[in-house]
Amino acid sequence: MSVAELKSQIPDYAKDLRLNLDSVLSEGGAPGLSRKQIALVALASAIASRHEPLVAALAAEGAAHASEAELNGARTAAAIMAMNNVYYRFTHLVSDTEYASLRAGLRMNAMANPGCDKVDFELCSLAVSAINGCGMCMDSHEKTLRKHELTTQAVQSAVRIAAVVHAAAVTLEQRG
């Protein structure tokens, strides 16, 4: 099923999501991001949102703008952040600060060579961290992106994509 077909399944009470999907998945609606970056962030966001039809549709559309290795980089970001966001959100939210000083002991070797550009990986990681609500990870990825000279508008575009893709996934999931 294509993204267009999935959009047509979004009910009228959520019609703003259809419009927002059109916007954030375009270069005009995601200022500061390339077409490839939009595709990678959208795929990582769909994976984090756990709606398989949307994941498949965005992966298929993303193949027109990114290589399979780059798409796997988005998948890697979603996988690693699924783990890290839980762990680091815990260390950030519990009142006992000793946890934050302990070695995480979690393998993250894939981050060294995720299959896509470092900035693209960071954009995907930021988007997934926003969906998963890990403030510590969002802050870390935002700082890294800014060090790579991405504008605040580009960073905002990645988070807007995450927000809209996640909302679409939640809404589509309710339709069955």
Side-chain angles (χ1 to χ4, degrees):
M1 188 174 299
S2 71
V3 173
E5 291 169 318
L6 284 170
K7 271 189 342 193
S8 72
Q9 292 183 12
I10 294 174
D12 284 340
Y13 66 78
K15 66 183 174 184
D16 286 336
L17 293 179
R18 290 192 298 261
L19 300 171
N20 286 331
L21 274 170
D22 284 336
S23 176
V24 302
L25 296 180
S26 72
E27 287 182 86
L33 300 183
S34 68
R35 187 66 197 103
K36 176 176 71 174
Q37 289 170 326
I38 293 166
L40 295 177
V41 169
L43 176 59
S45 298
I47 293 167
S49 299
R50 300 178 183 144
H51 189 264
E52 183 53 39
L54 190 55
V55 171
L58 287 169
E61 286 195 14
H65 306 285
S67 69
E68 189 60 27
E70 290 167 325
L71 293 172
N72 281 338
R75 292 176 180 110
T76 299
I80 296 293
M81 291 309 110
M83 174 182 67
N84 285 357
N85 293 159
V86 171
Y87 180 80
Y88 288 108
R89 191 172 54 233
F90 167 79
T91 64
H92 178 72
L93 292 175
V94 296
S95 59
D96 187 340
T97 58
E98 183 179 355
Y99 293 106
S101 69
L102 298 175
R103 184 178 169 279
L106 300 172
R107 289 195 174 272
M108 296 176 259
N109 296 336
M111 290 176 73
N113 187 15
C116 64
D117 182 77
K118 171 73 171 162
V119 169
D120 297 347
F121 183 79
E122 289 292 327
L123 284 166
C124 292
S125 297
L126 173 70
V128 172
S129 295
I131 289 168
N132 291 336
C134 183
M136 188 177 204
C137 292
M138 284 187 279
D139 190 52
S140 174
H141 295 296
E142 186 273 342
K143 284 179 182 172
T144 300
L145 288 165
R146 299 291 285 147
K147 284 179 187 170
H148 281 90
E149 300 182 1
L150 259 71
T151 64
T152 55
Q153 197 168 38
V155 171
Q156 180 196 37
S157 290
V159 177
R160 289 176 66 238
I161 292 167
V164 173
V165 167
H166 180 70
V170 168
T171 302
L172 289 166
E173 187 65 30
Q174 298 311 304
R175 298 225 12 139

